Each structure stands twice: as structure tokens, then as C-alpha cells.
Amino acid sequence: MPRTAYVNGRYVPHGDAHVHIEDRGFQFADGVYEVVSVVDGVFADEDGHLARLSRSLNELDLPWPMHPMSLRFVMREVARRNRVRNGLLYVQITRGEAPRDFRFPVDPAPTLVVTCRATKFNAPQHLEKGVSVITIPDIRWARRDIKSVALLPQVLGKQQAAEAGAFEAWQVDPDGTVTEGCSSNAWIVTQAGVLVTRAASNRILNGITRLSLLAEAEAAGIPFEERAFTVEEAYAAREALISSASTFCIPVTRIDGRPVGDGMPGPLGRRLRQAYLAHVGVADPVAARS
Ligand code: PLP
């Protein structure tokens, strides 16, 4: 089926979807984005993603390209036109097309692109065996809390992970603490059974899935701490996890080639994933297929 994208007011065939060469997203990575999973036709954590989009826009003094309610409509229309019931929806907003100049254009006309593609969420083996991560230095800028389209460090990190046969790379600050994955938040479960993930600050992207998982942990009475943890602490953890809109919450069973705990997914991770899916209001898309 031909895919359709939304670009600046028009629904166009995906192959014909373009933005101008002077778009500031292309020239300067002057833009932000969001990724929302569509699970069984439901936009998971949609309010949270739109709230973070609003914050990212605000932090960069970027105007909304349209009213947020209209954006919700466009998101649904793009998913509908692409017949996506399970997939990922991308919203990308840049400061628009303008003659190249570092300074903001006086009267910006932001570019808005919305795309959606079907995906099979989490391969069953990721849940059954877990995934592996490597650790790499965090070479990003100081405003990681903004979901910017400037993703070159993550591109390099993900490539390094792929070349090492790993699923994700955990980025590490100079003090030895893990910040987050290249496209996910990082979690461990200590030997005492405490769930730990880094506190929200400018040093990480405050994942929307992360926030929902913390709320679920709180509701379920699971002890948790929002604090930095070191790579050494992660090596010694009982369980480890990553979370994101595209993975929800999946177990990490190897870090830098070392098994985490007994090397198999643990019960707390499984419990959190189920709680997250219940929160979104859907059955586990992996479990449903098997
Ligand atoms: N951290 C980074 C750097 C990310 O790119 C992402 C998602 O793409 C996340 C964390 C997870 O955020 P969310 O749960 O909102 O998808």
C-alpha cells in the first residue's frame, strides 16, 4: 500500500514528500520531534508526548505550527491513511525555510512533517532473552532534555552498538554515571530490589515512557529511586531495563558482554512491562502474536 506523509498542510505520497534545501532542520538541525507508538489503534501516552513537544518548542522559542488539537487530528489522519494499527508515528517540527543565517528568521513559518509506519513491536526473543547494551562516552550537548532533531551522537552510538552486536548503547558521563541509551532511558534493579533510573535534568531526555513507568511503580508499591548510577553498579545489578515509546520496557541481560544477574530477564522488568501495557490499555503485542 502506498504510504502517505503530511507536510506543511498537505497529505502527499511518501515518495513525493519533501522539505526545502533551505529548511533550517536540514541546515542547522534547528528543530524538535516526537515519536508516539500506535498500539492496537491507541496513541500510547499521547498527552505526555504532546506536553513534551510543547516544552521542547518553548525551550527553543519555536512557534507551534498549528493548534495542538489540530495536530492530534492530523496524527490520526496520517495513521488512518497509512492503515497503521500498530506502528510508530513521528512528528517533526523545524524553524522552517529561510535564507541561511544562524539567527532566527524574523517571521518564521515552521515546517511540520508527520509520518507513520507499521512496526512489529519488540521481537519475542527480546522479551524472552533480553537485549545487550554496550557503554560509550556521552558526547552530547548540555540540553539533552530537549527532544532535538540533532541526533548525530546517537547515530554514532547506535552504529557502534550495531557493530558490537548490541541492541543499544548506554551513554556515560565523565564521572562514570550512565545518562541514558541513545534512544531510550536506562534502568537497573539493585540487589536489594530497588528500581533505579536517573532523575530528570538537562543531562537526559525525560522519557514519557519513563514517567509512566515511575507512576506505575509507585502505584504498585515497587521501591524506586531517581538517581544516577555508575556503570559498575549496573554490572552488579540484579536486573537492567531500557524504556522508550518504541520498546515500551525491555530487559537488558548483558552490559559490555557481562551477564546481568543470572543473564535472564527478571521478574520486576516483566511486571513493569505488564503494568505499562495495562496503563496504555492494550494487550502485549508480542504476547498476542505468540
Ligand atoms: N532518551 C533518549 C535519548 C531518546 O531518544 C528516547 C526516545 O527516543 C528516550 C530517552 C525515551 O523517551 P520516550 O519514552 O519518550 O520515547
Side-chain angles (χ1 to χ4, degrees):
M1 198 201 62
R3 289 178 63 197
T4 300
Y6 175 93
V7 185
N8 290 333
R10 293 172 54 225
Y11 296 95
V12 288
H14 197 269
D16 299 335
H18 297 117
V19 292
H20 197 272
I21 56 166
E22 295 243 69
D23 191 278
R24 293 177 62 95
F26 177 63
Q27 295 286 353
F28 301 117
D30 185 2
V32 299
Y33 76 113
E34 274 300 325
V35 185
V36 186
S37 60
V38 189
V39 192
D40 227 357
V42 175
F43 287 92
D45 277 333
E46 182 182 15
D47 290 349
H49 285 285
L50 288 179
R52 186 174 62 191
L53 180 61
S54 178
R55 181 180 183 280
S56 295
L57 290 168
N58 204 41
E59 292 298 306
L60 298 182
D61 205 7
L62 263 160
W64 272 95
M66 62 169 51
H67 193 279
M69 287 310 289
S70 307
L71 178 58
R72 285 181 196 252
F73 173 81
V74 170
M75 289 163 63
R76 277 161 185 71
E77 191 56 15
V78 171
R80 188 188 71 76
R81 288 185 188 228
N82 289 285
R83 296 204 200 130
V84 172
R85 286 213 39 95
N86 286 288
L88 292 173
L89 182 129
Y90 288 78
V91 176
Q92 290 175 258
I93 300 171
T94 74
R95 210 178 302 274
E97 175 193 334
R100 190 185 165 102
D101 182 343
F102 283 97
R103 294 165 301 180
F104 293 176
V106 177
D107 199 7
T111 292
L112 169 62
V113 173
V114 182
T115 55
C116 192
R117 64 181 157 91
T119 346
K120 286 197 172 40
F121 289 104
N122 309 153
Q125 70 266 25
H126 290 167
L127 297 184
E128 284 153 19
K129 298 208 167 91
V131 297
S132 57
V133 303
I134 56 167
T135 58
I136 59 171
D138 198 330
I139 59 169
R140 295 174 300 164
W141 71 327
R143 291 303 309 274
R144 303 161 187 170
D145 54 310
I146 299 170
K147 197 163 169 72
S148 146
V149 296
L151 291 169
L152 193 49
Q154 287 96 316
V155 167
L156 299 177
K158 284 277 193 188
Q159 180 61 24
Q160 209 177 321
E163 286 172 12
F167 183 81
E168 175 62 297
W170 278 4
Q171 301 167 105
V172 179
D173 262 349
D175 66 357
T177 57
V178 174
T179 54
E180 60 187 333
C182 291
S183 64
S184 58
N185 288 112
W187 305 70
I188 56 168
V189 178
T190 66
Q191 289 298 339
V194 180
L195 186 63
V196 180
T197 194
R198 196 165 179 127
S201 73
N202 291 355
R203 308 215 59 81
I204 63 163
L205 183 74
N206 192 1
I208 302 304
T209 320
R210 171 192 177 280
L211 287 170
S212 292
L213 288 171
L214 285 174
E216 291 304 317
E218 177 140 51
I222 297 169
F224 68 86
E225 287 172 6
E226 290 181 82
R227 63 165 174 84
F229 59 86
T230 62
V231 174
E232 293 303 322
E233 209 179 344
Y235 289 156
R238 189 196 278 182
E239 292 181 43
L241 311 164
I242 55 174
S243 69
S244 70
S246 58
T247 60
F248 312 138
C249 163
I250 55 174
V252 170
T253 46
R254 293 189 95 77
I255 303 173
D256 292 331
R258 303 166 191 227
V260 178
D262 64 3
M264 291 304 287
L268 196 48
R270 208 168 294 130
R271 203 169 143 201
L272 268 183
R273 180 181 171 87
Q274 291 310 325
Y276 181 74
L277 291 165
H279 150 78
V280 175
V282 294
D284 192 327
V286 170
R289 279 205 314 278
S290 54

